[in-house]
Amino acid sequence: MAETVQVQHDEIAERIKRLQQLMTQAGVHASLITQHVDLYYFTGSMQAGYAFIPAEGTAVFYVRRSMERAVQESAVQVRALNSLRQFRAQLEHDHPAVFGGGTSSAQGVIIATEMDVLPASTYAKLAEVLAGSRRDCSLVDGSTLVRRVRMVKSSWEIGRIEAAAQVVAEALEAAVGIIKEGLTELELMARIEYEIRIRGHIGLMRTRSYNMEITTGMLGSGAAAAVPSAFDGPAGGLGLGPAFPQSTSRKAIGRGEPILIDIGCCIDGYIIDQTRTAVIGSLPDDLAEAYAQAEHIIRQSEVLMRPGTSSESIYAAALKQAADAGLADHFMGYGTNQVKFLGHGIGLEVDEWPVLAKGFGDPLEAGITLAVEPKFTFPGRGVVGIENSYLITDTGCRPLTRSPEGLIVIP
Amino acid sequence: MAETVQVQHDEIAERIKRLQQLMTQAGVHASLITQHVDLYYFTGSMQAGYAFIPAEGTAVFYVRRSMERAVQESAVQVRALNSLRQFRAQLEHDHPAVFGGGTSSAQGVIIATEMDVLPASTYAKLAEVLAGSRRDCSLVDGSTLVRRVRMVKSSWEIGRIEAAAQVVAEALEAAVGIIKEGLTELELMARIEYEIRIRGHIGLMRTRSYNMEITTGMLGSGAAAAVPSAFDGPAGGLGLGPAFPQSTSRKAIGRGEPILIDIGCCIDGYIIDQTRTAVIGSLPDDLAEAYAQAEHIIRQSEVLMRPGTSSESIYAAALKQAADAGLADHFMGYGTNQVKFLGHGIGLEVDEWPVLAKGFGDPLEAGITLAVEPKFTFPGRGVVGIENSYLITDTGCRPLTRSPEGLIVIP
């Protein structure tokens, strides 16, 4: 009826194997995957249910609905989840090695789940169901295991992100032509969203963090872009009112003010994230200089990004460069509203691992995909900056973003 | 800079008062509001932080960021949330009546929070922080209290939903003109989304349920609309692939097949939800008859909907009418993929209370807003139906939906 892109079954097997290795290291006997995005990652299907992945043995996707679609899509075995009350008995029957004496520790069976996204009441219900009458099973947080596996992308996943990069580049090129004095931020954003949507954007950008929302990014001009917000990013934006207090507003775009176009899209589930800065006419000298500094920081980050370099050292280098340029107070937000990172992983969600931030001391690995977004905020005047997405390769990094760099100047 | 719609402070006070009455009845000493939509509802601001609402006394919004926007927006007192570790001490200081001997029960202080949406790991951290060193405070599920208060809308809120209804009606009228043979579902949906967005749609539709996603609704034609899905609605849709397996697909719209246009938008935070059925040419007789039955069911529902009628009795009446028409197997999905409801509350989220379903025995009340969506699914052929949103008034119900009824026929 319509062609769809499906993940290969051997790739799913590889993902499960990597999770199983982490589970074994962590002393966890099985993972119960509950979130729709994680279900898609580990089964190839986003139907409703739970995937049970033992540290050793065969994964099973217990499906509530739709069974027929799960059977078509899933790379792992599919069984009907008939009753939550019977779920423990069903698991005991299907996974005797987990629930039998074999692997269970003195503390009983330890099952990991995504406590970073699973609502507390559902967690409590599942923990009760899994504990069973013998109370010999505990449900612990396995979100770091899942995020760790998902952090390193396959060549198939990288291809999906590249497809998204191509779509957003085409959309930006198609939309930039309408920018003129008096056009509102909302009118420009609506056009960009139309251009990505007809090219296959799924219609939303998935986030993992509680309360975090992204429409198609953050498009803001002049003072409106520089308004602080609850959004955990370097530029929040005025938004459409207290009920959506971030990103695009109804402000008209003026001459000589920076237009921050931080946009992404989601193709076949995978997200790209990029930022370009535009201006009608020309920027004031100090903002033009800050924009040039943002490009310098991204050049420096490109040199540093390679397997073995820690995420936090790249952030530290950017902080130093901003300070050396006399722009410390403006970097990644202004003053007390600064955010404490330079970039973030991208993939099925926009807020993946790693984060280029203090505390992320682990070395980068080949296969990581991340967005690097140096930006400078000038309250009352605007935000300038650039954002590219990259793949960490065996020897360095490779840009995934397709849009040309440089300030976009509209006459 | 740009006008924004702000909720009146006395309205927030009234909402808090209603929550306090429910807390008192439930034996809860305070509510800790954590979700951004609930924060907006109870403070007028969606900035990041926690609102603490004692059963008796004054609510305080503890804000992490942005303080300056929270101060502008919030109808309740704003204080900085400096450190989660110090949060218990801060609450004890600010709310001595809650934490002192006064109101605390033998079980200690009972604080309610939204366990239906709060992630398990954040819940665990907050429960630990609030328990303090004396372990004299427990964090229980207060989601039903919040949902109960939010279920009954004020005239201000109803006005916002009516504004959304006007936007979606204009967008549908503007987009219907492009329907022709060979146009893809995605092209039609992209145009509708553009039309609602330039009119102020915030760019997303908020849902409360775990794993539930809605772009701008469900637009599907012929066989693609009838494909079952994980989505908890009468029509799932084929979607754009396993990574978004619902709603709009790339299928081309053909002559003589039903085009289900189930769309909504979100204006000033408030959602409208409506469905119209269109066709190029004419529907086969049996599908045309099923569409007429859907209109009959919505007429009957309008007669039944009034204060005092239970939600489940309206669902039961619709089931009976579908069965009497010989369409029981096709009603609200087909066969084992049927969903067990006729409608749902709308407001700040698309899946609000009440649900017109078995088990919802409470009587309707004036001020409830809900969508009623009788639909019939024919596998391999399509879905027909209608959906209007309504306000329950003192004496009956009033439609909020503005789009004309009837099958939309394109020559």
Side-chain angles (χ1 to χ4, degrees), chain B residues 32-48:
Chain B
L32 186 75
I33 303 297
T34 69
Q35 190 224 27
H36 64 319
V37 173
D38 293 334
L39 285 171
Y40 173 67
Y41 183 82
F42 285 113
T43 72
S45 174
M46 207 175 253
Q47 300 304 314

Side-chain angles (χ1 to χ4, degrees), chain A residues 34-36 47 65 69 115 118-121 193 197 202 206 210-211 213 215 228 230-231 237-238 243-244, chain B residues 34-36 47 65 69 115 118 120-121 193 197 202 206 210-211 213 215 228 230-231 237-238 243-244 337:
Chain A
T34 69
Q35 189 225 27
H36 64 319
Q47 300 305 314
R65 67 196 295 251
R69 286 184 85 153
M115 285 180 64
L118 183 65
S121 56
E193 289 172 352
R197 186 68 158 132
I202 66 168
R206 293 181 172 125
Y210 186 49
N211 286 343
E213 291 178 336
T215 51
F231 184 74
L238 181 61
F244 198 71
Chain B
T34 69
Q35 190 224 27
H36 64 319
Q47 300 304 314
R65 64 196 295 253
R69 286 184 85 152
M115 286 181 63
L118 183 65
S121 56
E193 289 172 353
R197 186 67 158 133
I202 65 167
R206 292 180 172 127
Y210 186 50
N211 287 343
E213 291 178 336
T215 52
F231 184 74
L238 182 60
F244 198 71
N337 290 301

Side-chain angles (χ1 to χ4, degrees), chain B residues 337-388:
Chain B
N337 290 301
Q338 286 175 314
V339 294
K340 308 293 184 197
F341 67 89
L342 176 69
H344 53 87
I346 55 166
L348 291 167
E349 293 165 318
V350 76
D351 50 347
E352 296 207 0
W353 281 2
V355 186
L356 299 183
K358 204 173 159 185
F360 283 77
D362 285 349
L364 293 175
E365 297 169 48
I368 283 176
T369 50
L370 78 178
V372 183
E373 50 176 329
K375 287 168 189 161
F376 293 99
T377 298
F378 296 83
R381 300 175 69 203
V383 183
V384 297
I386 186 168
E387 177 179 29
N388 288 334

Side-chain angles (χ1 to χ4, degrees), chain A residues 29-63:
Chain A
H29 301 118
S31 284
L32 186 76
I33 304 296
T34 69
Q35 189 225 27
H36 64 319
V37 173
D38 293 334
L39 286 171
Y40 173 67
Y41 184 82
F42 285 113
T43 71
S45 174
M46 205 173 256
Q47 300 305 314
Y50 302 111
F52 189 85
I53 305 177
E56 288 174 41
T58 306
V60 178
F61 186 14
Y62 295 93
V63 174

Side-chain angles (χ1 to χ4, degrees), chain A residues 233-248:
Chain A
L238 181 61
L240 291 170
F244 198 71
Q246 65 181 62
S247 186
T248 305

Side-chain angles (χ1 to χ4, degrees), chain B residues 130-150:
Chain B
L130 292 175
S133 55
R134 291 199 300 278
R135 326 298 296 169
D136 60 352
C137 173
S138 55
L139 193 58
V140 304
D141 192 10
S143 55
T144 60
L145 308 182
V146 167
R147 299 191 78 169
R148 186 83 187 66
V149 173
R150 280 184 42 194

